[in-house]
Amino acid sequence: MVKKLVMAQKRGETRALCLGVAMVVCAVITYYVLVTTLLPLYQKSVWTQESKCHLIETNIRDQEELKGKKVPQYPCLWVNVSAAGSWAVLYHTEDTRDQNQQCSYIPGSLDNYQTARADVEKVRANFQEQQVFYCFSAPPGNETSVLFRRLYGPQTLLFSLFWPTFLLTGGLLIIAMGKSNQYLSILAAQK
């Protein structure tokens, strides 16, 4: 009976140690992926200064209004603001600025023109309702454009690192408990 109990304990300890090691390995792989993908985007983001933006004007541009320029087939919201005492163009995120510098906001669904137009109208109404809001600007010298929301801010980075840290801590705790259980079993067997 005692030998069966010891063998069952040993099998359980081995499985727990394997689980702990697997959790640590998964956490290390996740850290590697995050460090190679998300961290460079965070470091490259220059939109660090938070300031108050005052709405100057908003208008919706359709493709007819932008003649002579290659423009996608969707409605385009253009927002001008006053940030830190100077005129600037507001972009929704970093990606919006990279996709099309002529649009402040690009609707999420571009399949249906009427749905996209309704989405742009709703965003425009929100801006006109709230005339003063916080925005992110680049360091002094490049204040011709500002962001409404940062994609790669410190909150995103911390939230992305939370789960791998939780996984690593849990794996290390399981390994520590398994090893301490083995140590206590050896001490009990010696007495």
Side-chain angles (χ1 to χ4, degrees), residues 7-144:
M7 291 301 289
Q9 260 187 328
K10 205 168 199 172
R11 250 184 276 136
E13 288 172 357
T14 305
R15 288 179 183 159
L17 289 175
C18 287
L19 174 67
V21 168
M23 288 172 70
V24 169
V25 168
C26 286
V28 169
I29 290 171
T30 307
Y31 276 128
Y32 175 76
V33 169
L34 288 175
V35 165
T36 57
T37 57
L38 189 64
L39 193 61
L41 294 172
Y42 172 74
Q43 290 174 334
K44 192 173 75 172
S45 179
V46 296
W47 313 94
T48 55
Q49 293 182 332
E50 188 173 6
S51 58
K52 279 194 175 185
C53 285
H54 301 276
L55 185 68
I56 296 174
E57 70 170 323
T58 62
N59 62 11
I60 298 174
R61 297 178 176 177
D62 289 311
Q63 62 263 17
E64 305 86 58
E65 297 177 24
L66 300 171
K67 293 178 184 164
K69 297 178 182 173
K70 189 174 180 183
V71 180
Q73 301 292 323
Y74 54 83
C76 176
L77 179 66
W78 182 258
V79 180
N80 291 330
V81 295
S82 171
S86 64
W87 174 88
V89 177
L90 178 76
Y91 293 102
H92 186 240
T93 62
E94 293 101 328
D95 290 346
T96 307
R97 186 173 186 270
D98 293 338
Q99 286 176 0
N100 186 353
Q101 290 193 357
Q102 298 172 359
C103 289
S104 295
Y105 174 75
I106 299 173
S109 173
L110 301 176
D111 297 334
N112 185 351
Y113 183 83
Q114 296 302 331
T115 306
R117 177 77 183 205
D119 187 23
V120 169
E121 291 280 352
K122 186 173 94 175
V123 171
R124 180 183 185 189
N126 287 341
F127 277 124
Q128 288 176 342
E129 182 180 308
Q130 192 169 359
Q131 297 280 321
V132 179
F133 48 88
Y134 286 102
C135 59
F136 296 96
S137 60
N142 185 16
E143 296 173 357
T144 59

